[in-house]
Structure formats: structure tokens, C-alpha cells
């Protein structure tokens, strides 16, 4: 299975991800960090990234979290993106500290 | 005196982005049983020890999250009484005709102050739990996966937290069983309509109508560990656990369905009676309240909803 190099431009972190893995699975498996990890099912939106270079295939992601326009402009959820080449990306999502008082 | 009024969570309708993946997750991995499908493509499921026709409805959608959660009331008179209570609280209601969901009677539907839709119903077709009612054996032999026993509760994140809790207490006659407080501010509220530790819970939040998790009962801590094995075997995205909660004492594990809706399976939580005292956890101890062993809050658990 071909493996590709994923570069998180925000931190310059790089890791290897093969074509059958989504971008978060590759990252987590190697103990790397940089993209927030949430539901890994395209539902919660915390792993939103902007793909700045590279090609990929993607699976369905929640319209409540990624608009059609965003998806067409390579703003996607990392957990639904399977690399077809080396990829560079910027992190857009974040984990809200929802319980602010804590 | 038997239970009156609202009896229990009757069902939750979850939005899913791939119906086949969702059915595989809930049936083959968690052990729910498919009981029907309808012309909108919705799939009806039940856990093995539930007698009503369904407790989960999977709705094909382009997003994830909760469409609505429904509670079963004891009698039709209760249904109209709660409809009146809800209106008197100042929340609009509408009636949904019998049969809109296959096998479900007429529903009273409303959006509570936290932005979540709830329905009440008195009647649902009963299909039984797969066991005879005379000389029943303890469990059916054909249940697979985690062998979830029943749909138990939902935890919801919504805005207008204080009004949400007041609505459930005053209009729907739930009782507050446990809470997390930061001084005068209530952060979490666990509410019961039964002898369970909770039938619904709310967390203070700034976005309306979010689902934190839908929860299912298992029989023992050993069954929770077995669920953990299945989560790894089947490559299910794990969130937290297996561990114990301080709140409710439940032994628990959290994971996500293929559309990113969080599920919990748990066992051996506490119980209550109408005269049980309210239990309070303080915000400075919230790590232990939520995860009793690690005493550490987990970002994904606190921050991810659908």
C-alpha cells in the first residue's frame, strides 16, 4: 500500500500515511499530534483542515460542519481524507473548551 | 406505588450519513436488532431486552446528530397532561400523528429551551424481548456483539442550561439526581424520571441542540471490557475508557458510530428513590467526577459533539 508524507504546515510536523488510512489514523498511529482528534466519522468537525497541496479521496462529511463550498475548496475533515499523494495542510479546527468554568 | 407519568426514554432518532455502515455498527457490533424500515429510508432498531418495537431510529442524512429524543408516558391522559404542562411553561407543542414512525402512537413534540427536540408518546407496538413470558430463560441465545440490553439515556449539550433543567423539572416532572457546580453556576445536571441514576443529562454549553452521547446498558463490568475488545477488533473509534464515572458510579466506555455520533455502553451505576438526596460534585473536582480513576478531563470527551 503506497505511503505518502503528510506535512502539517502549522507545526512543520511530518508523518507517513498510507492510502487506505485517513489522515488522522496515520497521525495517531505514529503518536504524532497537530490535528485535533474527535469523532473520526466526519460528524464533529474538530479536525477541519485546509489542504494546500496534494491529491486525495474523501468520504462523506457532515454538511453541518463542512459546507459544499468549503469541500470544493479543499477545506475538509482530516478523518475523511485518504491521501493519493504527499499532502500539505493547515489546521483550521479546534477543540472547544466547552465547560469554560472548569 | 408504580411509576407514573413519564416512564423512560422511549427512543432516539439519530442522523447518519451512511445507513449501511450505521446498521452494521448498531446491529453487528452493538447487538441491536433491526425491526423495520420505512419509505423514508429510516431503519428501526431495538436492544434485545426491550419489548417495544424500536428504541433507535437511524435516519439517512447529510449530517450527524440527534433529530429528536422521545419519552414514553404511562397513559394517554398523561400525554395530554404533559402537553398542557409544556404549553403552560411557554414552550410551543405540536402533535405528530400516529404512524409517522412505524408502530408509534400519536406524539406531542416540542423544542426544549436547550434547542433539542423531544417527543412524548403513550403507545408503541410491542414485539417482545425474544423470550417467552412464561418460564422465561435469562437471555436469548442469538444476540451478537456487545449485547446491549436497552437504550438508557442521552447526554446533551445545549444553551440556556438553567432553563432546560427547570423545564425538565417543572414541566416534565423529572428530578435532579446529581450535579456539577462551580460556585453558583451549575455546569452539569443529571435528571431522572424513574429509579435510574439518570434518564437524561445536560451540560452547560453555548451552542444549542448538540448530542454528546446516546447510552446503552450492559450487564456487568466484564461486559464493558468485552465491549472494549470489540471496539478494537472492529476498528471502532474509541473516545474514553473503559473506566468508572464518579457521577452515577457507572462503569463505562465511550466510542463513536460511523457518522461521529458518540455512544456509551455502561454497567453497574447507582439508583435512586424519590426521597434520595441530590448529589453534588464541585468543579474543582470535576476530573474525578467524570473519570474517577484518571481524575483527568479528556479534551475530545469534553469538546466533541454531533
Amino acid at each position: 500500500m503506497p505511503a505518502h508524507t503528510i506535512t502539517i504546515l502549522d507545526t512543520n510536523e511530518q508523518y507517513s500515511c498510507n492510502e487506505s488510512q485517513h489522515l488522522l489514523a496515520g497521525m495517531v498511529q505514529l503518536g504524532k499530534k497537530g490535528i485535533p482528534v474527535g469523532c473520526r466519522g466526519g460528524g464533529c468537525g474538530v479536525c477541519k483542515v485546509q489542504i494546500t497541496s496534494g491529491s486525495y479521496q474523501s468520504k462523506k462529511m457532515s454538511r453541518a460542519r463542512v459546507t459544499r463550498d468549503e469541500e470544493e475548496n479543499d477545506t475538509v475533515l482530516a478523518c475523511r481524507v485518504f491521501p493519493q499523494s504527499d499532502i500539505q495542510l493547515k489546521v483550521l479546527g479546534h477543540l472547544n473548551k466547552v465547560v469554560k468554568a472548569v | 406505588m408504580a411509576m407514573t407519568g413519564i416512564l423512560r426514554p422511549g427512543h432516539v432518532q439519530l442522523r447518519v450519513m451512511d445507513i449501511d455502515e450505521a446498521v452494521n455498527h448498531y446491529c453487528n457490533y452493538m447487538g441491536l436488532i433491526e425491526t423495520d424500515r420505512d419509505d423514508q429510508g429510516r431503519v428501526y432498531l431495538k436492544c434485545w431486552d426491550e419489548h417495544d418495537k424500536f428504541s433507535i431510529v437511524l435516519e439517512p442524512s447529510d449530517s450527524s446528530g440527534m433529530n429528536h429524543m422521545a419519552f414514553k408516558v404511562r397513559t394517554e391522559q398523561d400525554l395530554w397532561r404533559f402537553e398542557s404542562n409544556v404549553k403552560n411553561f411557554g414552550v410551543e407543542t405540536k402533535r405528530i400523528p400516529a404512524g409517522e414512525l412505524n408502530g408509534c402512537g400519536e406524539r406531542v413534540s416540542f423544542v426544549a429551551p436547550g434547542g433539542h427536540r423531544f417527543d412524548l408518546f403513550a403507545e408503541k407496538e410491542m414485539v417482545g424481548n425474544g423470550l417467552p413470558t412464561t418460564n422465561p430463560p435469562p437471555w436469548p441465545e442469538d444476540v451478537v456483539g456487545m449485547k446491549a440490553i436497552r437504550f438508557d439515556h442521552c447526554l446533551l449539550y445545549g444553551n440556556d442550561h438553567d432553563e432546560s433543567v427547570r423545564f425538565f423539572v417543572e414541566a416534565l416532572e423529572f428530578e435532579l439526581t446529581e450535579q456539577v457546580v462551580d460556585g453558583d453556576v451549575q455546569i452539569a445536571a443529571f435528571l431522572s424520571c424513574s429509579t435510574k441514576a439518570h434518564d437524561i443529562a445536560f451540560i452547560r454549553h453555548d451552542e444549542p441542540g448538540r448530542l454528546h452521547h446516546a447510552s446503552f446498558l450492559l450487564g456487568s463490568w466484564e461486559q464493558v471490557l468485552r465491549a472494549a475488545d470489540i471496539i478494537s477488533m472492529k476498528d471502532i473509534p474509541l473516545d474514553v475508557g473503559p473506566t468508572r464515572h464518579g457521577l452515577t458510579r457507572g462503569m463505562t466506555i465511550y466510542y463513536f458510530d460511523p457518522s461521529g455520533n458518540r455512544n456509551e455502553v455502561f454497567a453497574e451505576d447507582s439508583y435512586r428513590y424519590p426521597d434520595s438526596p441530590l448529589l453534588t460534585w464541585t468543579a474543582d473536582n470535576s476530573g474525578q467526577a467524570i473519570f474517577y480513576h484518571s481524575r483527568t478531563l479528556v479534551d475530545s470527551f469534553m469538546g466533541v459533539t454531533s
Side-chain angles (χ1 to χ4, degrees):
Chain A
M1 184 60 68
H4 302 295
T5 300
I6 313 303
T7 304
I8 302 172
L9 294 172
D10 312 71
T11 57
N12 282 322
E13 184 117 41
Q14 289 192 327
Y15 63 92
S16 175
C17 185
N18 70 45
E19 291 188 357
S20 67
Q21 284 181 308
H22 60 71
L23 297 183
L24 286 187
M27 184 186 80
V28 169
Q29 183 175 297
L30 296 170
K32 302 276 186 175
K33 290 177 179 166
I35 309 172
V37 177
C39 73
R40 287 151 283 167
C44 76
V46 304
C47 66
K48 193 184 263 192
V49 295
Q50 175 73 47
I51 307 279
T52 59
S53 75
S55 58
Y56 58 89
Q57 293 192 324
S58 62
K59 289 176 72 178
K60 209 166 168 181
M61 46 199 102
S62 173
R63 273 286 166 259
R65 289 313 196 213
V66 178
T67 65
R68 198 174 302 277
D69 271 2
E70 285 179 319
E71 193 171 340
E72 283 167 6
N73 290 297
D74 300 313
T75 297
V76 289
L77 302 181
C79 70
R80 306 301 263 180
V81 170
F82 299 79
Q84 297 275 299
S85 73
D86 289 354
I87 279 188
Q88 298 194 321
L89 60 84
K90 288 181 186 167
V91 176
L92 302 177
H94 59 277
L95 275 162
N96 282 316
K97 293 282 184 188
V98 283
V99 184
K100 294 193 176 68
V102 173
Chain B
M1 182 59 195
M3 258 186 279
T4 59
I6 293 180
L7 296 178
R8 62 173 174 271
H11 66 255
V12 62
Q13 182 166 325
L14 299 172
R15 294 188 291 265
V16 299
M17 295 185 284
D18 184 311
I19 196 74
D20 295 333
E21 283 183 2
V23 169
N24 182 54
H25 171 86
Y26 286 97
C27 291
N28 295 332
Y29 299 167
M30 292 181 63
L32 276 67
I33 298 153
E34 182 177 331
T35 55
D36 207 356
R37 292 188 181 223
D38 67 22
D39 56 13
Q40 296 180 41
R42 295 179 299 193
V43 180
Y44 299 67
L45 310 175
K46 69 183 280 293
C47 299
W48 75 260
D49 204 17
E50 294 169 318
H51 293 267
D52 284 350
K53 175 172 176 159
F54 63 89
S55 60
I56 300 293
V57 181
L58 301 175
E59 170 197 344
S61 175
D62 64 2
S63 63
S64 56
M66 184 179 94
N67 175 296
H68 72 276
M69 180 181 182
F71 293 95
K72 189 175 196 185
V73 303
R74 184 83 187 261
T75 66
E76 199 177 303
Q77 288 72 27
D78 289 322
L79 193 58
W80 311 136
R81 184 168 67 81
F82 283 111
E83 180 184 51
S84 161
N85 284 3
V86 170
K87 283 181 178 165
N88 290 339
F89 192 91
V91 169
E92 275 182 49
T93 64
K94 65 174 183 179
R95 294 185 181 181
I96 298 175
E100 194 281 330
L101 281 169
N102 288 353
C104 189
E106 187 170 13
R107 281 175 285 162
V108 170
S109 181
F110 47 86
V111 177
H116 303 92
R117 178 183 144 198
F118 296 97
D119 293 359
L120 304 176
F121 65 92
E123 298 288 334
K124 193 181 276 181
E125 183 186 336
M126 287 186 103
V127 298
N129 68 352
L131 301 173
T133 54
T134 302
N135 303 325
W139 38 264
E141 293 178 49
D142 53 356
V143 181
V144 301
M146 298 180 194
K147 303 177 193 284
I149 294 169
R150 70 167 183 240
F151 164 54
D152 191 86
H153 65 268
C154 285
L155 191 155
L156 305 175
Y157 278 36
N159 59 351
D160 214 347
H161 173 83
D162 299 316
E163 199 66 353
S164 263
V165 173
R166 192 169 75 84
F167 175 77
F168 267 76
V169 170
E170 293 181 13
L172 301 182
E173 301 175 357
F174 281 59
E175 289 177 35
L176 184 64
T177 61
E178 287 192 62
Q179 60 179 349
V180 181
V181 297
D182 184 8
D184 295 337
V185 179
Q186 185 185 65
I187 298 164
F190 289 66
L191 297 145
S192 178
C193 62
S194 65
T195 60
K196 287 158 57 187
H198 58 326
D199 291 290
I200 193 163
F202 290 102
I203 304 280
R204 181 179 295 276
H205 190 46
D206 50 14
E207 194 180 3
R210 304 292 294 174
L211 171 68
H212 185 273
H213 69 263
S215 181
F216 299 82
L217 179 69
L218 299 183
S220 68
W221 171 234
E222 189 274 337
Q223 292 286 308
V224 175
L225 297 179
R226 192 173 161 281
D229 293 340
I230 292 170
I231 286 165
S232 186
M233 279 181 210
K234 302 300 183 187
D235 205 15
I236 298 169
L238 174 70
D239 192 16
V240 183
T243 185
R244 181 201 279 276
H245 285 307
L247 285 150
T248 77
R249 296 183 205 155
M251 316 278 210
T252 179
I253 188 164
Y254 289 90
Y255 52 95
F256 295 96
D257 81 6
S259 297
N261 298 307
R262 190 188 282 97
N263 300 146
E264 175 189 34
V265 287
F266 78 100
E268 301 178 56
D269 64 337
S270 63
Y271 59 90
R272 63 177 297 281
Y273 290 102
D275 60 347
S276 297
L278 169 64
L279 305 179
T280 297
W281 296 81
T282 53
D284 58 359
N285 202 33
S286 54
Q288 193 183 34
I290 297 174
F291 300 120
Y292 200 77
H293 300 151
S294 70
R295 306 168 64 130
T296 302
L297 296 176
V298 175
D299 285 347
S300 62
F301 185 81
M302 305 309 292
V304 169
T305 59
S306 65

